[in-house]
Amino acid sequence: MWQLLPALRELVEGRQTGALATVVRASGSAPQKPGARLLLREDGSTVGTVGGGTVEARVLEHLEACLRTGKAGTISFDLVRDLGMCCGGSMEVFMERIEAPDRLVLFGAGHVAQPTASLARSVGFAPVIVDEREDWNTPERFPGAEHLLLPPAEAVERLALRDDDWILIMTHEHRQDEEVLELCLPRPHRYLGMIGSKRKVFQTLQRIAARGPLPELGRLHAPIGAPLGAVGPEEIAVSIVSELIALRRGAALPGMSVTHSPRLQQVLEGALSPTDAAREEG
């Protein structure tokens, strides 16, 4: 058991996936007692044991399936009837997939970021707060979060963004929002969202495009949040996290993002002003 805890910590901190088997019931001459565990890593290596031999081989088959599908469940063995073992007895083993929570990077530690981070953490995201302001980006305001007191460019390098990262841009300045968006657009991410009005989003993308070709915008969501008519930081946080949950679960959600608007191209070409485009969007 003492080997298993560091292995689980390493798995989660390394943002890897594994499958864990736990003996929950044993009777007769079973090879292990309740509480015995076996961890299967993505690379096929294992830590711990649920008895070795035929029992462990069968459990590993189910762990491989659990690792692939993510489906938890319990299996029961009669060691004589099911596995042909001579020792007798029976075992019941619970299996579950173990994976790190999705990393949610929030650029900005303001009034909307605070309830957003708290609510996101409660539904399985791991918040990372990026903000240089030491009096805002604190453990007291963001309990359970990772804190980076760095400028955006340094933070983006430190984070080494990956394809499974979720990113929210909600800094205290429009200029900094634009900087972060330009930094993150060409980098790996699963979701990239920026808070603000449609007019602001059109303007921001227009300015970035004036400095060079825009990267692919398919995963950019701006403005962010489900269309709930939210007012105030707490309600806005609910709308934002609702969108994250919907996307994580593959649910259909009415889009607010201007990235799918035919007016965006007109704005980028200078044929339509951001103000007029936002007005036409409604």
Side-chain angles (χ1 to χ4, degrees):
M1 181 64 182
W2 63 270
Q3 294 175 314
L4 193 64
L5 294 177
L8 286 169
R9 186 179 300 112
E10 180 183 345
L11 184 147
V12 171
E13 291 177 353
R15 301 173 70 191
Q16 301 170 6
T17 304
L20 180 66
T22 304
V23 178
V24 294
R25 186 181 63 81
S27 63
S29 301
Q32 281 288 357
K33 297 178 180 179
R37 291 180 172 88
L38 173 66
L39 174 67
L40 173 66
R41 300 189 183 100
E42 287 178 301
D43 63 4
S45 61
T46 62
V47 180
T49 182
V50 290
T54 307
V55 169
E56 196 145 304
R58 182 69 64 86
V59 169
L60 280 170
E61 291 177 6
H62 286 272
L63 283 177
E64 289 169 359
C66 179
L67 191 58
R68 287 194 309 272
T69 66
K71 186 176 181 180
T74 302
I75 55 172
S76 300
F77 300 116
D78 182 292
L79 302 181
V80 176
R81 185 184 65 244
D82 298 329
L83 302 180
M85 299 174 65
C86 60
C87 56
S90 63
M91 291 177 63
E92 191 172 304
V93 183
F94 174 71
M95 278 162 285
E96 59 188 319
R97 186 160 72 177
I98 306 295
E99 53 192 333
D102 291 332
R103 186 167 70 165
L104 176 65
V105 182
L106 291 92
F107 286 90
H111 297 300
V112 175
Q114 187 177 18
T116 299
S118 176
L119 184 56
R121 184 168 177 263
S122 74
V123 295
F125 290 93
V128 180
I129 314 302
V130 180
D131 197 310
E132 296 177 81
R133 299 174 297 169
E134 295 184 10
D135 53 337
W136 288 79
N137 190 0
T138 66
E140 291 73 27
R141 297 190 73 242
F142 296 92
E146 181 181 347
H147 303 269
L148 292 183
L149 294 163
L150 295 172
E154 290 183 34
V156 168
E157 292 302 320
R158 174 81 64 86
L159 287 163
L161 295 169
R162 301 185 354 174
D163 289 335
D164 55 355
D165 281 322
W166 302 67
I167 305 167
L168 288 173
I169 303 171
M170 47 179 65
T171 78
H172 60 292
E173 296 178 342
H174 289 344
R175 176 191 56 80
Q176 194 169 91
D177 283 351
E178 183 176 321
E179 177 190 359
V180 175
L181 182 61
E182 192 166 10
L183 284 167
C184 292
L185 268 173
R187 286 174 165 80
H189 55 269
R190 179 175 176 183
Y191 170 97
L192 175 58
M194 184 177 72
I195 200 167
S197 67
K198 290 183 178 181
R199 178 174 176 270
K200 170 192 169 180
V201 176
F202 279 125
Q203 288 177 327
T204 301
L205 291 174
Q206 185 183 47
R207 285 193 293 266
I208 294 174
R211 295 190 285 269
L214 280 174
E216 196 274 323
L217 301 177
R219 288 166 293 171
L220 173 62
H221 297 258
I224 52 175
L228 306 180
V231 177
E234 290 76 15
E235 289 188 1
I236 293 171
V238 170
S239 75
I240 292 170
V241 177
S242 295
E243 179 176 87
L244 300 181
I245 293 170
L247 292 168
R248 184 171 64 179
R249 300 300 182 192
L253 191 68
M256 296 174 62
S257 176
V258 306
T259 57
H260 303 109
S261 167
R263 296 173 183 85
L264 175 59
Q265 190 59 39
Q266 293 177 275
V267 170
L268 299 181
E269 293 171 352
L272 189 65
S273 74
T275 300
D276 289 340
R279 186 181 300 117
E280 291 182 21
E281 283 284 305

